[in-house]
């Protein structure tokens, strides 16, 4: 450890679902806090990336709670980096691949009653902005103006905090 930093190693969800869930919830909280801090500093692309990561972590935490629902959609087997073969639903929960996030959000929205699909679209737009920045032509990014980015970063971060407050109050201090 350097300078008091803490390293949290996430357990795989098929080994310790509750430990994985707790770790992802903490990750969501910290990433959302960082997004707002970077936003205050005018670091828009970094803030967008942190908001995206916060949302991705939150989806993963919710996904572990509804793994059986996801298994209905995500069938098949994947091989992990360590060579272990796992059900595709477990792979999606563990890694939350960007390309699966909308499908996961749709299923989780149905399972939880939370508004996840539209916010997942916002998070994905912020992820795109993180790499491409503003684009007045609308070709490389969906954001032609910074005020739209700022609004979406706040919307995603605040949605993370609200969901954490509603469902997992013991994991947050905001």
């Amino acid at each position: 450890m350097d300078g008091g930093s803490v390293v949290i190693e996430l357990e795989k969800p098929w080994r310790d679902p509750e430990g994985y869930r707790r770790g992802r919830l903490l990750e969501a909280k910290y990433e959302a806090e960082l997004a707002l801090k970077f936003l205050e500093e005018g670091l828009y692309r970094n803030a967008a990336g942190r908001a995206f990561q916060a949302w991705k972590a939150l989806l993963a935490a919710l996904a572990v709670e509804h793994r059986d629902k996801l298994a209905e959609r995500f069938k098949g087997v994947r091989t992990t980096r360590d060579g272990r073969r796992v059900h595709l639903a477990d792979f999606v929960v563990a890694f939350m691949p960007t390309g699966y996030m909308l499908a996961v959000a749709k299923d989780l929205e149905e399972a939880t009653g939370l508004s996840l699909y539209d916010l997942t679209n916002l998070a994905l737009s912020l992820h795109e902005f993180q790499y491409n920045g503003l684009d007045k032509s609308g070709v490389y990014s969906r954001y032609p103006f910074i005020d739209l980015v700022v609004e979406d970063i706040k919307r995603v971060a605040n949605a993370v905090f609200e969901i954490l407050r509603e469902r997992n109050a013991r994991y947050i201090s905001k």
Side-chain angles (χ1 to χ4, degrees):
M1 283 206 262
D2 61 285
S5 63
V6 177
V7 176
I8 299 172
E9 184 71 31
L10 287 178
E11 188 58 72
K12 296 296 180 235
W14 51 84
R15 291 189 190 133
D16 179 9
E18 185 55 28
Y20 177 80
R21 180 180 164 276
R22 275 193 313 271
R24 292 296 253 179
L25 291 171
L26 284 172
E27 179 184 0
K29 174 187 180 269
Y30 296 147
E31 293 285 8
E33 288 172 349
L34 276 173
L36 296 179
K37 180 73 171 160
F38 285 157
L39 196 57
E40 286 175 17
E41 300 297 325
L43 300 169
Y44 301 112
R45 289 170 77 164
N46 296 72
R50 299 290 51 106
F52 170 77
Q53 290 299 329
W55 191 255
K56 183 176 175 175
L58 182 69
L59 278 183
L62 294 171
V64 80
E65 294 174 27
H66 299 280
R67 184 253 179 233
D68 291 341
K69 170 94 172 140
L70 296 177
E72 295 170 15
R73 177 186 296 271
F74 300 105
K75 299 179 185 323
V77 175
R78 284 287 198 273
T79 303
T80 63
R81 289 180 217 161
D82 63 2
R84 179 184 168 113
R85 293 177 51 82
V86 298
H87 191 281
L88 179 56
D90 294 322
F91 180 86
V92 169
V93 170
F95 300 102
M96 196 52 62
T98 305
Y100 287 131
M101 286 175 66
L102 282 175
V104 169
K106 182 182 184 315
D107 290 349
L108 291 177
E109 186 169 282
E110 291 171 6
T112 65
L114 296 169
S115 296
L116 302 172
Y117 189 83
D118 290 342
L119 285 161
T120 300
N121 256 325
L122 277 184
L124 288 165
S125 292
L126 290 172
H127 183 57
E128 186 179 271
F129 168 79
Q130 176 189 10
Y131 289 97
N132 299 313
L134 291 179
D135 179 24
K136 292 187 191 305
S137 71
V139 174
Y140 301 105
S141 171
R142 299 174 197 191
Y143 295 104
F145 307 107
I146 200 66
D147 62 309
L148 300 172
V149 175
V150 169
E151 183 179 321
D152 285 355
I153 291 168
K154 288 178 181 178
R155 185 180 292 165
V156 170
N158 288 327
V160 168
F161 292 135
E162 184 169 331
I163 291 169
L164 288 174
R165 247 190 315 276
E166 289 173 3
R167 298 176 57 87
N168 306 290
R170 67 186 179 270
Y171 296 112
I172 65 166
S173 60
K174 280 196 170 225

